[in-house]
Amino acid sequence: MFRLVICDLDNTLYDWLSYFVPSFYAMVDSVIKTTDWDREKLLDEFRMIHQKHHDSEHPFALLETESVLQMFQGKDPKISKEYFDSAFHAFNSMRKKELKTYPEVHETLNALKEMDICLVAHTDAKLHACVDRLQRLDLTQYFDLIFCRKRADSDHPDGLSEKERIKGYPIEKITELPHERRKPDPNILKEICETMNVSPQETAYVGDSIAHDIMMANDAGIFSIFAKYGTKRDNDEWDKLVRVSHWTPEDVQREKELRETAENVKANFTANTISEILIPINRAN
């Protein structure tokens, strides 16, 4: 019998790649149109900022690029933010268009809640990006707890305090994990089970990555459900992400080793649509 389902977010409940890459490059195109800067140089600068913060979604990364800092040297960050308002608007506009849940996500999560199953979100995304997406997609309501990476250590260009930035967040549900505590560490899942007072044997984990999600769940003694539907990706979009990603050579090597380790890892169940995760849960319950 399952009493707890721990759910990955990116590419499990929504297609992260297909929303983020078009949004990011819409912003870049707007910047180039406004400044006539060299596109490849700007992309190099973005990659440096992303690597510095270990995050391809670092908030307002544009304002930390070398080109922007030189252009607005010694000036209030609010000025540079206002100057590039059209670029940030381009990102937001594309995000509004492209960010959407996979079919039947709400119906499936509703079905789990109706079965009195506890739901916990677990992601390697940082606080602001994680909660922003959950709220935009009206998904926060389903989760009893949300485990994400610690928020970015940077000031908001508008001078907002951290208290103002997290206003409206369900902070009582959120646990922020330090950078080094990330997938596929099975101890994170064990701690979630302890927090929820549920044994690993009564828990299922849903995720789209064999190396990061399924191997972690298996190592924790948790029933693993592979969200195969979340592995489909556009190769062009993937290449564009890699161009500016936060992955250092060390990250790439770590990923290679993880994939080699997970080569023979099998999930307990494979779901071709999110609604199919209900099959093993209904069987057990």
Short mmCIF file of all heavy atoms in Angstrom, two decimals, residues 138-162:
data_model
loop_
_atom_site.label_atom_id
_atom_site.label_comp_id
_atom_site.label_asym_id
_atom_site.label_seq_id
_atom_site.Cartn_x
_atom_site.Cartn_y
_atom_site.Cartn_z
N ASP A 138 -0.64 26.53 -10.93
CA ASP A 138 -1.66 26.18 -9.94
C ASP A 138 -1.44 24.76 -9.40
O ASP A 138 -2.38 23.97 -9.26
CB ASP A 138 -3.06 26.29 -10.56
CG ASP A 138 -4.17 26.28 -9.50
OD1 ASP A 138 -3.88 26.68 -8.35
OD2 ASP A 138 -5.29 25.85 -9.81
N LEU A 139 -0.19 24.45 -9.06
CA LEU A 139 0.16 23.12 -8.57
C LEU A 139 0.51 23.09 -7.08
O LEU A 139 0.54 22.02 -6.48
CB LEU A 139 1.36 22.56 -9.37
CG LEU A 139 1.11 22.27 -10.85
CD1 LEU A 139 2.42 21.91 -11.54
CD2 LEU A 139 0.09 21.16 -11.02
N THR A 140 0.74 24.26 -6.50
CA THR A 140 1.16 24.32 -5.09
C THR A 140 0.17 23.62 -4.17
O THR A 140 0.55 22.96 -3.20
CB THR A 140 1.32 25.79 -4.64
OG1 THR A 140 2.12 26.48 -5.59
CG2 THR A 140 2.00 25.87 -3.28
N GLN A 141 -1.10 23.75 -4.49
CA GLN A 141 -2.16 23.22 -3.64
C GLN A 141 -2.06 21.73 -3.38
O GLN A 141 -2.51 21.23 -2.35
CB GLN A 141 -3.51 23.52 -4.30
CG GLN A 141 -3.62 22.92 -5.70
CD GLN A 141 -4.96 23.14 -6.35
OE1 GLN A 141 -5.98 22.93 -5.73
NE2 GLN A 141 -4.95 23.55 -7.61
N TYR A 142 -1.46 20.99 -4.30
CA TYR A 142 -1.45 19.54 -4.20
C TYR A 142 -0.39 19.00 -3.23
O TYR A 142 -0.51 17.87 -2.76
CB TYR A 142 -1.22 18.90 -5.57
CG TYR A 142 -2.29 19.23 -6.58
CD1 TYR A 142 -2.05 20.09 -7.65
CD2 TYR A 142 -3.57 18.68 -6.46
CE1 TYR A 142 -3.03 20.40 -8.57
CE2 TYR A 142 -4.57 18.98 -7.38
CZ TYR A 142 -4.28 19.84 -8.43
OH TYR A 142 -5.27 20.14 -9.33
N PHE A 143 0.64 19.79 -2.96
CA PHE A 143 1.80 19.26 -2.25
C PHE A 143 1.79 19.62 -0.76
O PHE A 143 1.60 20.77 -0.38
CB PHE A 143 3.09 19.77 -2.90
CG PHE A 143 3.27 19.22 -4.29
CD1 PHE A 143 3.04 20.02 -5.40
CD2 PHE A 143 3.63 17.90 -4.49
CE1 PHE A 143 3.18 19.51 -6.69
CE2 PHE A 143 3.78 17.38 -5.77
CZ PHE A 143 3.55 18.18 -6.86
N ASP A 144 2.01 18.58 0.05
CA ASP A 144 2.11 18.78 1.50
C ASP A 144 3.44 19.43 1.86
O ASP A 144 3.51 20.25 2.77
CB ASP A 144 1.97 17.43 2.21
CG ASP A 144 0.64 16.78 1.94
OD1 ASP A 144 -0.34 17.15 2.61
OD2 ASP A 144 0.56 15.90 1.05
N LEU A 145 4.50 19.04 1.13
CA LEU A 145 5.83 19.62 1.33
C LEU A 145 6.51 19.80 -0.02
O LEU A 145 6.20 19.08 -0.98
CB LEU A 145 6.70 18.72 2.22
CG LEU A 145 6.33 18.59 3.70
CD1 LEU A 145 7.27 17.60 4.38
CD2 LEU A 145 6.36 19.93 4.41
N ILE A 146 7.44 20.75 -0.07
CA ILE A 146 8.20 21.02 -1.29
C ILE A 146 9.69 21.07 -0.92
O ILE A 146 10.10 21.90 -0.10
CB ILE A 146 7.79 22.36 -1.92
CG1 ILE A 146 6.30 22.34 -2.29
CG2 ILE A 146 8.66 22.67 -3.15
CD1 ILE A 146 5.73 23.72 -2.60
N PHE A 147 10.48 20.17 -1.48
CA PHE A 147 11.93 20.16 -1.25
C PHE A 147 12.62 20.68 -2.51
O PHE A 147 12.47 20.11 -3.60
CB PHE A 147 12.40 18.74 -0.94
CG PHE A 147 12.08 18.29 0.46
CD1 PHE A 147 10.78 17.93 0.80
CD2 PHE A 147 13.06 18.23 1.44
CE1 PHE A 147 10.46 17.51 2.08
CE2 PHE A 147 12.75 17.82 2.73
CZ PHE A 147 11.45 17.46 3.05
N CYS A 148 13.39 21.77 -2.36
CA CYS A 148 14.08 22.37 -3.49
C CYS A 148 15.48 22.80 -3.06
O CYS A 148 15.83 22.71 -1.88
CB CYS A 148 13.30 23.58 -4.01
SG CYS A 148 13.05 24.88 -2.77
N ARG A 149 16.27 23.29 -4.00
CA ARG A 149 17.60 23.79 -3.65
C ARG A 149 17.49 25.19 -3.05
O ARG A 149 16.55 25.94 -3.31
CB ARG A 149 18.50 23.82 -4.89
CG ARG A 149 19.02 22.45 -5.29
CD ARG A 149 19.73 22.50 -6.62
NE ARG A 149 20.89 23.36 -6.57
CZ ARG A 149 21.46 23.90 -7.65
NH1 ARG A 149 20.95 23.69 -8.84
NH2 ARG A 149 22.52 24.66 -7.53
N LYS A 150 18.49 25.52 -2.27
CA LYS A 150 18.54 26.81 -1.58
C LYS A 150 18.49 27.96 -2.58
O LYS A 150 19.08 27.90 -3.65
CB LYS A 150 19.81 26.89 -0.74
CG LYS A 150 19.90 28.11 0.15
CD LYS A 150 21.18 28.07 0.97
CE LYS A 150 21.29 29.29 1.88
NZ LYS A 150 22.55 29.28 2.65
N ARG A 151 17.78 29.01 -2.22
CA ARG A 151 17.60 30.18 -3.09
C ARG A 151 18.94 30.83 -3.44
O ARG A 151 19.94 30.68 -2.73
CB ARG A 151 16.70 31.20 -2.39
CG ARG A 151 17.34 31.89 -1.20
CD ARG A 151 16.32 32.60 -0.35
NE ARG A 151 15.57 31.68 0.49
CZ ARG A 151 14.67 32.06 1.39
NH1 ARG A 151 14.41 33.34 1.56
NH2 ARG A 151 14.04 31.17 2.12
N ALA A 152 18.95 31.55 -4.54
CA ALA A 152 20.17 32.22 -5.00
C ALA A 152 20.60 33.28 -4.00
O ALA A 152 19.77 33.99 -3.42
CB ALA A 152 19.92 32.86 -6.36
N ASP A 153 21.90 33.39 -3.82
CA ASP A 153 22.47 34.38 -2.90
C ASP A 153 22.81 35.65 -3.69
O ASP A 153 23.95 35.91 -4.04
CB ASP A 153 23.72 33.81 -2.23
CG ASP A 153 24.30 34.76 -1.18
OD1 ASP A 153 23.55 35.63 -0.71
OD2 ASP A 153 25.49 34.63 -0.86
N SER A 154 21.78 36.43 -3.99
CA SER A 154 21.99 37.65 -4.76
C SER A 154 20.90 38.66 -4.43
O SER A 154 19.80 38.29 -4.01
CB SER A 154 21.98 37.36 -6.27
OG SER A 154 20.73 36.82 -6.66
N ASP A 155 21.21 39.93 -4.64
CA ASP A 155 20.26 40.99 -4.35
C ASP A 155 19.29 41.16 -5.51
O ASP A 155 19.63 40.92 -6.68
CB ASP A 155 21.00 42.32 -4.11
CG ASP A 155 21.88 42.26 -2.88
OD1 ASP A 155 21.52 41.55 -1.92
OD2 ASP A 155 22.95 42.91 -2.88
N HIS A 156 18.09 41.60 -5.19
CA HIS A 156 17.11 41.89 -6.23
C HIS A 156 17.40 43.29 -6.77
O HIS A 156 17.65 44.22 -6.00
CB HIS A 156 15.69 41.84 -5.65
CG HIS A 156 14.61 41.84 -6.67
ND1 HIS A 156 14.22 42.98 -7.34
CD2 HIS A 156 13.85 40.83 -7.17
CE1 HIS A 156 13.27 42.68 -8.20
NE2 HIS A 156 13.02 41.38 -8.11
N PRO A 157 17.42 43.47 -8.10
CA PRO A 157 17.77 44.79 -8.66
C PRO A 157 16.83 45.91 -8.25
O PRO A 157 17.21 47.08 -8.28
CB PRO A 157 17.70 44.54 -10.19
CG PRO A 157 16.88 43.31 -10.34
CD PRO A 157 17.16 42.48 -9.14
N ASP A 158 15.62 45.59 -7.85
CA ASP A 158 14.68 46.62 -7.39
C ASP A 158 14.86 46.93 -5.91
O ASP A 158 14.11 47.74 -5.35
CB ASP A 158 13.23 46.19 -7.65
CG ASP A 158 12.87 46.26 -9.12
OD1 ASP A 158 13.54 47.00 -9.85
OD2 ASP A 158 11.93 45.57 -9.54
N GLY A 159 15.83 46.27 -5.28
CA GLY A 159 16.09 46.51 -3.87
C GLY A 159 15.11 45.85 -2.93
O GLY A 159 15.04 46.21 -1.75
N LEU A 160 14.35 44.88 -3.43
CA LEU A 160 13.39 44.19 -2.57
C LEU A 160 14.12 43.36 -1.52
O LEU A 160 15.13 42.73 -1.81
CB LEU A 160 12.50 43.26 -3.41
CG LEU A 160 11.59 43.90 -4.45
CD1 LEU A 160 10.81 42.82 -5.20
CD2 LEU A 160 10.63 44.89 -3.80
N SER A 161 13.59 43.38 -0.31
CA SER A 161 14.17 42.55 0.75
C SER A 161 13.78 41.10 0.49
O SER A 161 12.86 40.81 -0.28
CB SER A 161 13.62 42.97 2.11
OG SER A 161 12.24 42.69 2.21
N GLU A 162 14.49 40.17 1.14
CA GLU A 162 14.16 38.76 0.95
C GLU A 162 12.74 38.47 1.44
O GLU A 162 12.04 37.65 0.84
CB GLU A 162 15.17 37.89 1.71
CG GLU A 162 15.11 36.42 1.35
CD GLU A 162 15.31 36.15 -0.14
OE1 GLU A 162 16.05 36.92 -0.80
OE2 GLU A 162 14.72 35.19 -0.65
#
